[in-house]
Amino acid sequence: LEIAATCDVPLAIAVIPVPASPSLFARLARAPRACVLQHGYAHRNHAPAGAKKSELGDERPAGTVLAELAEGWALLAAATRGQALPVLVPPWNRIGAGVQGRLAEAGLAGLSTSKPRARARLAGGTVQANVHVDPIDWPAQRRGDDAFAGEGPTLAAAVRHLRARRT
């Protein structure tokens, strides 16, 4: 939040609804250019053993997942008093096709994952706007080390994306 204030830029923060605390929302309320995006429901892995982690995959009934997402969206909307946008940022950047096509049923109008997307408008009218450059070194962050991926790798990812869009 300090970076957004110092540089006078907007900031979107992905928040997990279930463990989010009132102190987080109080701090966000003091950052008028910050908005909240929904980061799943409880950030719990429901994938089968040996599969890549997923909270919102097709291994559970879509209705169950959508009900959790709707509850999470209601929690964020109430707690943020207008700072939350109805945009889902799936944990581990994974979402099952059966859930993805029905996000509007949970009150969500947007989806943001990582890397290039197939199309901007999904089933049900959901708009997808992805992150194309991630400056975080997630393994380092989990170890508690410096989490910046580095200027070289971050700029190289941006150039690769722009080159692909141009060609």
Side-chain angles (χ1 to χ4, degrees):
L1 295 175
E2 289 78 18
I3 292 172
T6 302
C7 299
D8 192 31
V9 295
L11 178 68
I13 300 173
V15 175
I16 305 164
V18 169
S21 68
S23 63
L24 170 66
F25 298 120
R27 187 161 182 207
L28 288 170
R30 296 189 303 271
R33 295 199 63 194
C35 63
V36 171
L37 309 179
Q38 184 173 344
H39 191 51
Y41 175 68
H43 212 291
R44 290 191 186 117
N45 178 25
H46 296 285
K52 290 184 175 183
K53 291 181 179 180
S54 176
E55 179 178 38
L56 310 175
D58 288 327
E59 61 275 343
R60 297 190 300 149
T64 300
V65 177
L66 290 164
E68 289 178 354
L69 289 174
E71 181 183 333
W73 167 241
L75 289 169
L76 291 178
T80 61
R81 297 181 185 95
Q83 278 182 292
L85 299 178
V87 175
L88 176 67
V89 180
W92 302 289
N93 284 302
R94 295 188 189 93
I95 183 167
V99 174
Q100 179 176 292
R102 296 173 55 190
L103 288 175
E105 294 176 36
L108 298 164
L111 173 67
S112 183
T113 59
S114 182
K115 309 296 184 228
R117 65 184 187 273
R119 58 192 177 283
R121 189 153 312 262
L122 306 173
T126 301
V127 174
Q128 186 169 9
N130 286 354
V131 170
H132 300 287
V133 178
D134 186 350
I136 306 297
D137 177 345
W138 290 103
Q141 186 271 339
R142 283 187 284 277
R143 289 189 310 269
D145 296 339
D146 182 10
F148 178 49
E151 186 176 310
T154 302
L155 287 174
V159 169
R160 276 192 308 276
H161 173 68
L162 292 171
R163 184 179 295 124
R165 296 289 297 178
R166 186 181 73 240
T167 59

